[in-house]
């Protein structure tokens, strides 16, 4: 059984999309193993996106991610990393397939509503960044 980290970003929370995003996960048979709402500090966002620290969008991205509350979730299911990525759609919502979360609700390449881990290694790092073992319900 695979796990992945999902985040509903500040723009998603602001647009009132918490329920909509969770509904899409549940409709696909994805199980929620943990969930919390929090507002990231700048340091926390910089650490989370450390792989992107040399990218031109890093400063703006980490400002955006700290601009309001987010909902972090551990999703569980068969092939859930890929399943979640395909529900999310491409990073750039203009290139995302119809019916994906980003195509339906993103307003900008940065403000694209959701985050999802992109590999088992990333998922392990990202889950432990927000949750300890006692916060996961199996
Ligand atoms: N991002 C951005 N400009 C870009 C590429 C990415 O603002 O040109 C932001 C966007 O919010 C994206 C996040 O940085 O979701 C992380 O980028 P990544 O390439 O990992 O995309 P993702 O895995 O989220 O699809
Ligand atoms: Mg990524």
């Amino acid at each position: 059984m695979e796990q992945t980290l999902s985040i509903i970003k500040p723009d998603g929370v602001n647009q009132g999309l918490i329920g909509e995003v969770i509904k899409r996960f549940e409709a696909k048979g994805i199980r929620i193993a943990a969930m919390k709402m929090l507002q990231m500090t700048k340091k926390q966002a910089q650490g989370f996106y450390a792989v992107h620290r040399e990218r031109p969008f890093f400063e703006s991205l980490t400002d955006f991610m700290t601009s309001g509350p987010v909902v972090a979730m551990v999703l569980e299911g068969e092939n859930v990393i890929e399943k979640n990525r395909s529900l999310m759609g491409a990073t750039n919502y203009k290139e995302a397939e119809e019916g994906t979360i980003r195509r339906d609700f993103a307003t900008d390449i940065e403000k694209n509503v959701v985050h999802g881990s992109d590999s088992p290694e990333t998922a392990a790092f990202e889950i432990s960044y927000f949750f300890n073992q006692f916060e996961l319900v199996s």
Side-chain angles (χ1 to χ4, degrees):
M1 196 54 75
E2 199 172 68
Q3 293 181 330
T4 192
L5 185 83
S6 166
I7 299 176
I8 305 175
K9 296 183 180 186
D11 62 324
V13 173
N14 269 332
Q15 288 187 70
L17 294 173
I18 298 172
E20 174 68 28
V21 170
I22 291 174
K23 189 178 78 178
R24 290 181 185 212
F25 293 155
E26 290 184 330
K28 285 285 174 196
I30 293 171
R31 214 178 67 77
I32 297 168
M35 172 159 59
K36 65 173 75 164
M37 181 177 252
L38 65 133
Q39 184 156 1
M40 276 194 254
T41 65
K42 183 78 173 175
K43 271 218 168 91
Q44 199 175 7
Q46 287 167 333
F48 182 72
Y49 279 118
V51 297
H52 293 314
R53 65 186 171 277
E54 308 297 342
R55 310 288 289 280
F57 57 81
F58 183 69
E59 187 58 31
S60 175
L61 173 63
T62 51
D63 276 346
F64 162 57
M65 290 300 287
T66 60
S67 67
V70 302
V71 176
M73 282 171 277
V74 177
L75 307 181
E76 204 171 73
E78 213 170 291
N79 210 17
V80 73
I81 295 174
E82 195 184 305
K83 250 188 206 165
N84 180 42
R85 294 290 308 194
S86 83
L87 284 174
M88 289 163 59
T91 308
N92 183 349
Y93 72 103
K94 291 179 181 167
E95 290 162 10
E97 280 188 49
E98 263 180 64
T100 60
I101 295 167
R102 284 169 164 175
R103 176 66 172 262
D104 288 346
F105 304 113
T107 52
D108 188 278
I109 189 166
E110 177 182 81
K111 294 170 185 64
N112 58 6
V113 187
V114 277
H115 168 85
S117 312
D118 64 5
S119 72
E121 296 71 35
T122 317
F125 165 75
E126 292 182 348
I127 289 168
S128 67
Y129 202 79
F130 287 104
F131 296 94
N132 69 50
Q133 58 175 314
F134 303 109
E135 295 173 300
L136 294 169
V137 180
S138 273

